[in-house]
Amino acid sequence: MTMTRRLLFATTALLAFGAPELTAQGVVVDEGSFAVSIGGVPAGTEDFVIRRPGVGRDDALFANGVIGLMLPEGRQDLSALLHAAPPDGVAVRYQISASGVDPIEVQVARSGRRYLATIRSDEGAEDREFQAHVDTRVLERHVAHHYYFLRDLRPNRPVHTLEPRTRRQGLITAGEPSQEMIRLGPNQIPSRRVEFTTDTGETRTIWFDRQGRVLRVRISSLEYLAERTDLVG
């Protein structure tokens, strides 16, 4: 990811959520790129940055990603922006736009015990409400960097999830982690492998490094695989 693109992501995140005064502060928690394959065929890339721009009352996490995929149905481009509460990454506000296949724009904001969503697609405009839990994470379809916010889940303790584009809420539970060496390009990297299970029985396997960064995401039911490319030396 180029410096220009990284700064564009960060600035977009802060301005979109009304925090331009924080642009001079903060720490990049993680940034990088994934190569994505679907059905064993290279399908595209994901570039992202996760920042923590404030302290005290201004403390927050902003995750911004741009994904370009060639799906069996055609080209799809996603732009996702998440404002989450530290340290766990519970969703506060979120927006995503998709162009190409299945175009849609979704904006979500927490209001008390609800998430209020505005959805615009070829079918028209729709207002929806979702139940807001104290542990809700946004896990968008085909967005790998969102799994960063599951890095510290304790085994066998389910948390609530929200998938705004598909209008789905559910639960996801971490299994017991295991240590595994994985290959990224020419490098062998130590990782912590965790299998997460949804309330519908779907398994999602995530590999994290020692810093909690996402190295690899595999969702067998979607034949989806995302692997970091920026950490390949």
Side-chain angles (χ1 to χ4, degrees), residues 21-22 25 53-60 62:
E21 70 279 9
L22 298 178
Q25 306 178 34
V55 295
R57 294 181 60 185
D58 294 325
D59 199 8
F62 292 97

Side-chain angles (χ1 to χ4, degrees), residues 197-215:
T197 305
T198 70
D199 54 335
T200 61
E202 181 183 67
T203 298
R204 305 179 184 185
T205 308
I206 317 298
W207 288 260
F208 302 93
D209 71 2
R210 292 170 180 169
Q211 300 176 48
R213 298 179 298 183
V214 176
L215 302 176

Side-chain angles (χ1 to χ4, degrees), residues 113-176:
R113 298 181 179 180
R114 300 173 297 169
Y115 287 108
L116 306 179
T118 300
I119 303 169
R120 295 182 176 87
S121 67
D122 289 344
E123 299 177 356
E126 175 186 0
D127 293 324
R128 289 283 296 265
E129 292 186 6
F130 301 98
Q131 189 172 1
H133 300 276
V134 295
D135 59 358
T136 299
R137 270 60 159 197
V138 165
L139 295 179
E140 192 68 79
R141 185 184 180 97
H142 293 156
V143 179
H145 71 273
H146 283 173
Y147 290 91
Y148 174 83
F149 300 107
L150 300 186
R151 68 197 184 284
D152 292 328
L153 291 194
R154 296 182 180 181
N156 305 313
R157 294 190 180 185
V159 299
H160 293 84
T161 60
L162 174 62
E163 191 175 286
R165 274 195 300 156
T166 61
R167 305 161 178 81
R168 294 178 182 172
Q169 287 192 282
L171 296 168
I172 196 165
T173 305
E176 293 290 342

Side-chain angles (χ1 to χ4, degrees), residues 16-84:
F17 286 143
E21 70 279 9
L22 298 178
T23 56
Q25 306 178 34
V27 174
V28 174
V29 176
D30 191 13
E31 64 173 323
S33 302
F34 291 93
V36 179
S37 62
I38 297 175
V41 178
T45 60
E46 173 178 336
D47 296 323
F48 74 96
V49 61
I50 302 172
R51 289 173 57 87
R52 192 167 181 172
V55 295
R57 294 181 60 185
D58 294 325
D59 199 8
L61 289 161
F62 292 97
N64 190 271
V66 174
I67 302 99
L69 299 175
M70 182 57 67
L71 303 175
E73 302 83 5
R75 174 81 183 186
Q76 184 178 72
D77 292 290
L78 304 174
S79 178
L81 174 58
L82 173 65
H83 169 197

